[in-house]
Amino acid sequence: MSGPSVDGVLVQWGERLFYPANRIVRGTSPARLSRGLPRRAADVRARIRATVIRRAPQVMVKVTGGGRGMTAIAAHFRYISKSGRLPFEDDRGVVREGKEALRDLVEQWQYGGSYIGETSHRREAFNIMLSMPSGVDALTVQRAAREFAQAELADHRWVMVLHDHQANPHVHLSVRAGGRHGQRLNPRKADLQRWREIFADKLRGWGIDAEATRQATRGQLRNDEPLWRLKAAEAGRLRSSREGSKSGPAVERSRKEAIVAWAHVARGLSGSEDSADRILAEQVDRYVRSTPFALEYARRLERQRERSPLTFEREPSRAAKPVERAPEVRR
């Protein structure tokens, strides 16, 4: 397969893995594939190597809650700043600490711009957490989080606090929902993925190997615990358990679609005239087979075979239908 043909396959199927069609893009996103075919294919190859070979650390960006009124917002300020003991930085770049400075911040948010009552029927602020795995320099995480907020939340008031006393360095970012020009913040799932991509891009700008690959692309099934559940468990107030793994038709469909896309990518690479592409195809094949979803799906099929061996022997086409796999990529 010639170079342009391979590049075309990579762009067509790589975009489905790394740049899903439901992304909402405002302005210029550093992750957007908007250049010529060779450059776009090079971007996809770079994302594949980061995910498949280097297993680059994955950034985390989560909306952990939001304040419905100033009472809740002020309580969150006290929590993230440890009642003023930790320094907090606002959208103007002013860094302060102490209880008096914290009270000033609350007053600024309550009376600056549209008034925020003690309680509200809607979210007046969003609490966001940006995190990286342990081992990453905490101050670099803070710099990247600052650049992220300046790029994505320029129309809003925000305050951020670095937490480096736990295993994973992370930044708590509280953002006023009401913007300076009347537009309200209302993040959706696609916005969160874009935020992950931009935060990862800012970290890479500081020399940190970081990726923002979707869970479906990585075949992950882990169900991350929300912050409120973690805090409740620490305080002994958690009264219900939660499944550790994601499941359901939507989860299975997205993971199957990712496997099909990976198979097309691997098949395109395996037919390349470039030996580096053919080696990458083998690495993709091994990676996909080792993902949690692929392993779980293989175990499920094995259990079905053990329960109904005759069905698999007599009706192989019907039994194989749910697998939705592309042809093998090994040569």
Side-chain angles (χ1 to χ4, degrees), residues 9-154:
V9 171
L10 288 181
V11 170
Q12 178 184 357
W13 294 98
E15 284 186 340
R16 301 188 188 196
L17 289 168
F18 300 108
Y19 308 94
N22 67 344
R23 292 176 68 248
I24 299 172
V25 178
R26 296 182 306 181
T28 354
S29 169
R32 190 68 174 172
L33 290 180
S34 57
R35 294 167 286 184
L37 182 63
R39 293 293 301 277
R40 293 165 72 187
D43 285 343
V44 171
R45 282 185 178 89
R47 296 291 301 269
I48 291 173
R49 291 190 181 97
T51 302
V52 170
I53 302 174
R54 298 199 310 275
R55 309 290 176 103
Q58 296 289 326
V59 303
M60 187 184 74
V61 178
K62 295 176 71 173
V63 174
T64 60
R68 294 180 181 272
M70 208 60 225
T71 299
I73 295 172
H76 188 68
F77 286 170
R78 289 192 296 272
Y79 164 70
I80 64 177
S81 69
K82 305 301 179 187
S83 297
R85 293 192 300 275
L86 295 178
F88 50 91
E89 179 179 342
D90 66 20
D91 52 289
R92 301 168 300 169
V94 177
V95 180
R96 294 178 292 173
E97 58 184 303
K99 291 185 177 180
E100 188 64 33
L102 200 58
R103 281 193 290 269
D104 290 344
L105 178 68
V106 170
E107 288 186 5
Q108 288 172 13
W109 273 50
Q110 184 162 26
Y111 299 106
S114 58
Y115 173 74
I116 300 178
E118 294 302 321
T119 59
S120 175
H121 66 282
R122 62 183 182 178
R123 285 189 179 182
E124 299 293 351
F126 285 90
N127 306 326
I128 304 169
M129 186 165 67
L130 302 96
S131 175
M132 278 292 281
S134 58
V136 178
D137 178 61
L139 291 179
T140 304
V141 173
Q142 183 185 43
R143 293 186 193 105
R146 181 186 299 116
E147 292 179 352
F148 160 82
Q150 291 169 343
E152 278 293 295
L153 306 168

Side-chain angles (χ1 to χ4, degrees), residues 144-202:
R146 181 186 299 116
E147 292 179 352
F148 160 82
Q150 291 169 343
E152 278 293 295
L153 306 168
D155 193 45
H156 299 264
R157 299 199 69 164
W158 50 262
V159 61
M160 73 175 196
V161 180
L162 171 67
H163 282 196
D164 59 359
H165 56 281
Q166 294 168 312
N168 296 358
H170 58 276
V171 167
H172 288 280
L173 188 63
S174 191
V175 187
R176 207 177 195 272
R180 293 183 176 89
H181 299 94
Q183 186 175 7
R184 290 186 66 81
L185 191 66
N186 188 25
R188 299 302 189 200
K189 186 176 181 180
D191 295 299
L192 288 175
Q193 178 58 28
R194 187 187 71 253
W195 287 357
R196 291 185 69 232
E197 291 171 2
I198 291 174
F199 182 44
D201 183 73
K202 300 302 183 185

